[in-house]
């Protein structure tokens, strides 16, 4: 879209490109030295040079010479396999295409016909191939019709003393009971293959010769004809193993009912425990565990200020009603329509886009557990703000793992959350720290309380009164 709208999109391209990076690519971008990129072409070249070893190998036209029709391979399968290979080759010469395609045919009557008629174009060759495919399909249909009669004749005229020299091995199920899924096994197999939870089988197993199989039945797991996915014992055992490992919970039909029943039991138990606690005197706590993350919400920059704030919290005896402001009381609730994820139980963080000043900042984490609103120095540089706007501030931010990050200073920036007309703009005091982060800004309790925002990590949604 950016290339289509006009040529003067270099700044937009350079700014948009990193927003789609992840993993090693994002780590590479964070280490690019400042001022080393002057155009999107420089950024693209630097990216390609760094990840040259990870480039996907693309075959050339010489590779087509290695594709030959198998001894028992149908013309349709050969053409499909050859076409898939040509899709990877750019600017393939039609003359080379036709020559290699004819050279890969196995010796047969159709091969002799092609040698005599000598089609000069791909269209002419494909017309003859289409006619030959129809002939092969008719022959396959006749073989399928005759196959049951041949088996009956063998059963009828077999001598009493004869023995079967070759019996097809029949697979037996590994489990006595199987999980009931809320989706067809074929759809589950396709999804987990696309998600690379499992690898496709290298071999099809001991199944009937593919020349005499029923083409109306196809297995999504083995990628072959002859049986359907729901009747495939290998696929059935594989899905059962994954289900027992807990990897297919969203497809399990009874898992939701079990969870609801367990929740009911836990609620009953909790109510019973609460009734017991009301009748008995609670035990005294063995100790107190406190955690201070740092920042303005922790009580101040000095230790004495934090101690005063802590003593004030301990001295609170009752609830102080907040002063009534102009905004009316608003009840904030979440319902089924607020879900933003197809899988609400994956514990994803709530990440939104906000407007800071005149810029739209993506990858903004809403963290009610943070006692500070954090603006990372790398984001500050991208915003092209003046260093003079940074006001001095000492102290450190402390994470849950104990690491300490020094605070470079703080800055007041106008922050807008939501979209017009359902938006609100407030001046927020951000702490600036210089460390690596997958996010650009972290909105903590101070800003969330100012916005009067309520975050639902279950719904991946945030609501606030406007």
């Amino acid at each position: 879209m950016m290339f289509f709208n006009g040529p003067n999109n270099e700044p937009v391209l350079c700014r948009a490109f990193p927003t789609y990076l992840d993993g090693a690519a994002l780590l590479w971008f964070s280490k690019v030295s400042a001022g080393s990129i002057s155009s999107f072409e420089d950024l693209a070249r630097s990216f390609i040079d760094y990840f040259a070893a990870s480039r996907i190998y693309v075959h050339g036209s010489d590779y087509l010479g290695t594709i030959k029709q198998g001894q028992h391979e149908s013309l349709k399968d050969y053409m499909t396999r050859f076409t898939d290979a040509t899709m990877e080759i750019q600017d393939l010469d039609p003359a080379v295409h036709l020559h290699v395609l004819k050279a890969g045919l196995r010796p047969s009557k159709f091969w002799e016909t092609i040698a005599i008629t000598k089609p000069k174009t791909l269209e002419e060759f494909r017309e003859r191939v289409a006619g030959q495919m129809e002939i092969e399909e008719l022959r396959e249909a006749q073989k399928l019709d005759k196959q049951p009669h041949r088996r009956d004749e063998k059963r009828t005229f077999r001598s009493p003393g004869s023995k079967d020299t070759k019996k097809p091995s029949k697979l037996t199920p590994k489990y006595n009971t199987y999980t009931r899924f809320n989706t067809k096994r074929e759809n589950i197999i396709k999804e987990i293959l696309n998600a690379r939870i499992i690898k496709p089988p290298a071999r099809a197993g001991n199944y009937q010769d593919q020349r005499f199989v029923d083409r109306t039945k196809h297995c999504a797991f083995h990628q072959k004809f002859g049986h359907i996915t729901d009747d495939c014992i290998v696929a059935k055992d594989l899905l059962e193993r994954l289900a027992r490992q807990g990897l297919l919970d969203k497809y399990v039909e009874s898992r939701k009912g079990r969870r609801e029943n367990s929740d009911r039991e836990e609620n009953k138990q909790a109510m019973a425990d609460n009734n017991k606690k009301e009748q008995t005197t609670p035990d005294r706590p063995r100790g107190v565990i406190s955690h201070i993350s740092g920042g303005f919400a922790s009580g101040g920059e000095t230790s004495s200020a934090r101690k005063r704030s802590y003593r004030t919290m301990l001295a609170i005896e009752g609830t102080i009603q907040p002063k009534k402001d102009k905004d009316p009381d608003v009840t904030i609730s979440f319902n089924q329509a607020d879900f933003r994820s197809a899988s609400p139980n994956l514990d994803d963080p709530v990440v939104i886009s906000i407007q800071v000043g005149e810029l739209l900042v993506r990858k903004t984490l809403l963290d009610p557990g943070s006692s500070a609103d954090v603006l990372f120095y790398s984001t500050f540089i991208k915003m092209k703000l003046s260093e003079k706007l940074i006001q001095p501030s000492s102290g450190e931010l402390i994470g849950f793992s104990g690491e300490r990050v020094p605070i470079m200073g703080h800055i007041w920036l106008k922050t807008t959350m939501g979209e017009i007309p359902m938006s609100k703009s407030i001046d927020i005091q951000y702490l600036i720290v210089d460390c690596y982060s997958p996010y650009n800004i972290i909105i903590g309790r101070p800003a969330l309380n100012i916005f009067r925002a309520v975050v639902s990590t279950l719904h991946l949604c945030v609501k606030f009164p406007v």
Side-chain angles (χ1 to χ4, degrees):
M1 289 291 293
M2 287 186 285
F3 278 119
F4 178 76
N5 289 331
N8 299 324
N9 288 317
E10 287 283 322
V12 181
L13 286 171
C14 291
R15 290 181 181 276
F17 181 75
T19 62
Y20 296 93
L21 300 182
D22 194 7
L26 182 60
L27 183 61
W28 162 82
F29 180 77
S30 65
K31 294 182 179 179
V32 174
S33 57
S36 62
I37 303 298
S38 59
S39 65
F40 182 74
E41 184 180 358
D42 291 345
L43 182 63
R45 187 187 303 110
S46 177
F47 179 85
I48 293 173
D49 291 343
Y50 187 83
F51 291 102
S54 303
R55 177 178 294 176
I56 300 174
Y57 177 74
V58 179
H59 295 294
S61 58
D62 295 338
Y63 171 73
L64 297 179
T66 63
I67 302 177
K68 305 292 182 181
Q69 185 181 11
Q71 186 67 26
H72 302 290
E73 186 179 18
S74 65
L75 184 60
K76 181 179 180 180
D77 293 341
Y78 167 68
M79 290 296 296
T80 302
R81 190 160 55 90
F82 194 93
T83 303
D84 292 340
T86 58
M87 295 297 290
E88 301 179 3
I89 302 174
Q90 297 180 357
D91 302 329
L92 179 61
D93 188 354
V96 177
H97 188 170
L98 178 61
H99 173 74
V100 180
L101 188 57
K102 292 190 295 183
L105 294 171
R106 70 166 180 265
S108 61
K109 291 183 179 180
F110 178 69
W111 175 71
E112 295 175 357
T113 303
I114 294 297
I116 295 173
T117 57
K118 297 180 180 178
K120 297 181 179 180
T121 62
L122 283 171
E123 290 297 327
E124 186 179 351
F125 179 80
R126 289 194 179 101
E127 289 180 1
R128 298 187 180 279
V129 167
Q132 182 65 22
M133 286 182 182
E134 293 181 1
I135 295 174
E136 291 185 358
E137 289 178 357
L138 290 175
R139 290 175 180 172
E140 284 292 328
Q142 292 176 355
K143 288 180 180 179
L144 293 175
D145 292 339
K146 295 179 181 180
Q147 194 67 21
H149 300 291
R150 291 179 181 176
R151 291 178 182 175
D152 293 340
E153 291 174 0
K154 288 182 180 180
R155 292 194 188 99
T156 305
F157 297 103
R158 187 174 58 187
S159 60
S162 64
K163 296 183 179 180
D164 292 334
T165 57
K166 187 176 182 181
K167 293 183 179 181
S169 58
K170 187 176 181 181
L171 297 175
T172 56
K174 294 182 180 180
Y175 303 96
N176 296 326
T177 58
Y178 286 86
T179 305
R180 294 182 61 184
F181 298 106
N182 54 20
T183 309
K184 288 185 178 181
R185 287 189 174 90
E186 182 177 4
N187 296 335
I188 301 176
I189 286 292
K190 290 179 180 179
E191 289 187 17
I192 62 180
L193 280 173
N194 292 334
R196 297 184 179 180
I197 298 177
I198 60 172
K199 293 182 179 180
R203 298 179 62 185
N206 296 325
Y207 287 99
Q208 190 179 3
D209 193 334
Q210 292 295 305
R211 291 176 296 172
F212 309 110
V213 298
D214 186 357
R215 292 274 171 176
T216 61
K217 298 179 179 180
H218 183 263
C219 178
F221 179 65
H222 290 105
Q223 299 293 320
K224 287 202 173 185
F225 296 97
H227 65 284
I228 60 177
T229 311
D230 289 338
D231 294 339
C232 180
I233 296 176
V234 178
K236 194 175 180 181
D237 290 340
L238 173 64
L239 292 180
E240 181 62 25
R241 177 168 60 84
L242 296 176
R244 298 191 179 192
Q245 292 175 357
L247 300 177
L248 303 178
D249 284 354
K250 65 177 181 179
Y251 304 109
V252 178
E253 188 176 45
S254 59
R255 194 64 55 88
K256 184 178 180 181
R258 293 177 194 164
R259 191 180 296 114
E260 291 177 354
N261 293 334
S262 63
D263 291 343
R264 292 195 196 101
E265 294 296 330
E266 290 178 1
N267 291 336
K268 290 180 180 179
Q269 185 65 31
M271 292 176 64
D273 294 341
N274 290 335
N275 292 333
K276 290 181 180 180
K277 289 179 180 179
E278 290 177 359
Q279 298 174 0
T280 59
T281 303
D283 297 332
R284 296 183 62 184
R286 292 189 295 109
V288 178
I289 299 177
S290 303
H291 177 76
I292 299 176
S293 297
F296 299 107
S298 62
E301 298 182 5
T302 63
S303 60
S304 59
R306 288 192 290 269
K307 289 179 181 178
R308 285 195 300 270
S309 176
Y310 184 61
R311 284 196 295 267
T312 303
M313 287 189 292
L314 294 180
I316 294 176
E317 295 181 357
T319 302
I320 302 175
Q321 295 293 337
K323 295 181 180 180
K324 294 185 178 180
D325 50 15
K326 298 179 181 180
D327 297 332
D329 291 337
V330 177
T331 300
I332 296 179
S333 60
F334 298 86
N335 53 34
Q336 195 72 19
D338 294 320
F339 275 110
R340 294 294 184 270
S341 174
S343 303
N345 297 322
L346 294 181
D347 297 332
D348 292 329
V350 182
V351 182
I352 67 171
S353 299
I354 63 174
Q355 183 174 340
V356 181
E358 299 178 352
L359 299 176
L360 182 66
V361 181
R362 303 187 186 278
K363 294 186 179 179
T364 300
L365 174 67
L366 301 186
D367 184 10
S370 174
S371 65
D373 304 311
V374 180
L375 173 65
F376 292 95
Y377 186 66
S378 58
T379 308
F380 178 84
I381 296 297
K382 295 175 187 176
M383 297 172 70
K384 296 183 179 180
L385 298 174
S386 174
E387 297 277 353
K388 298 179 180 179
L389 296 176
I390 301 178
Q391 301 180 25
S393 180
S394 60
E396 295 176 329
L397 291 182
I398 305 173
F400 284 102
S401 57
E403 72 277 8
R404 296 174 178 268
V405 180
I407 299 173
M408 298 178 59
H410 69 271
I411 185 173
W412 289 89
L413 294 173
K414 184 179 180 181
T415 302
T416 302
M417 189 183 295
E419 298 179 356
I420 299 175
M422 308 294 286
S423 63
K424 182 186 287 187
S425 299
I426 298 176
D427 289 334
I428 300 298
Q429 187 180 19
Y430 292 96
L431 295 180
I432 301 177
V433 296
D434 187 8
C435 65
Y436 169 75
S437 173
Y439 307 104
N440 293 318
I441 291 176
I442 296 179
I443 298 294
R445 291 195 304 273
L448 291 175
N449 291 339
I450 295 175
F451 275 99
R452 298 174 66 186
V454 179
V455 180
S456 174
T457 55
L458 175 64
H459 298 84
L460 295 183
C461 181
V462 57
K463 292 186 177 184
F464 54 91
V466 295

